[in-house]
Amino acid sequence: MQPSGLRRTAIALASTFTCALAAPAGAQLLSHKDLTASIAITIVQTAIETCKANGYAVSATVVGRNGEIIVQVRGDNTGPHTIENSFRKAYTARTFRAPSGALVDRVKADPTLGLIHLTNVIANQGALPIKVGDEVIGAAGASGAPGGEKDEACVKAGIDKVADQLK
């Protein structure tokens, strides 16, 4: 007896589903590198110390690949807003895989840019993505210096300090 068209379709779908389940499980896993707490601490500490040496009191934050806080330090004599601002800058740099200042330029070009309304996103310079090759694995941000370019320079010093470990 020949199966009906509907039955043939069901058998074909079941066979396809069974084959998909038989594929090796490893083929579906992602492999990636993540920041360690030690690296994140070094970045934050170096950023704060670099800014302090230049006369600026800053707070600093390092976020991981999912935008989660790994290390966050409120610097000595900083305003209470600097801790949140350093996080939002870092989150923005991680989310968009670019320096947080790049969003400033995008907003200047399009003041109605909806991205600035996303939670934790901020159009302020002062954060840089942390990369292994071309892969963004986190970001670091600082807040408190008189100007985002100064915050960013301190963050760059922190990332540069661990550059040899980001491979």
Side-chain angles (χ1 to χ4, degrees):
M1 178 169 157
Q2 257 333 56
S4 70
L6 183 60
R7 183 167 165 81
R8 277 192 304 257
T9 301
I11 292 170
L13 285 173
S15 296
T16 301
F17 184 68
T18 301
C19 289
L21 291 177
Q28 298 177 12
L29 297 176
L30 298 175
S31 177
H32 60 261
K33 296 185 177 190
D34 288 309
L35 289 168
T36 63
S38 177
I39 289 173
I41 289 168
T42 299
I43 292 169
V44 163
Q45 194 170 32
T46 302
I48 290 172
E49 289 171 0
T50 300
C51 272
K52 184 177 181 179
N54 289 310
Y56 317 129
V58 301
S59 295
T61 302
V62 170
V63 298
R65 80 171 44 252
N66 295 315
E68 77 285 9
I69 296 170
I70 298 175
V71 175
Q72 186 173 56
V73 177
R74 179 172 174 210
D76 298 335
N77 300 313
T78 59
H81 65 282
T82 61
I83 196 79
E84 178 184 350
N85 209 27
S86 68
F87 163 68
R88 291 179 67 190
K89 289 178 181 186
Y91 183 85
T92 300
R94 168 57 194 106
T95 302
F96 297 110
R97 298 180 170 111
S100 60
L103 187 56
V104 174
D105 297 334
R106 289 178 69 184
V107 171
K108 284 179 185 175
D110 179 7
T112 63
L113 188 68
L115 298 174
I116 60 169
H117 300 292
L118 295 172
T119 303
N120 296 322
V121 171
I122 192 165
N124 276 345
Q125 186 176 4
L128 296 169
I130 301 169
K131 298 180 178 184
V132 172
D134 289 333
E135 181 182 7
V136 177
I137 64 169
S143 177
E149 72 284 351
K150 293 174 180 71
D151 290 326
E152 186 176 300
C154 296
V155 166
K156 183 175 183 330
I159 296 171
D160 287 349
K161 176 105 179 204
V162 299
D164 62 324
Q165 298 173 63
L166 298 173
K167 296 178 179 166

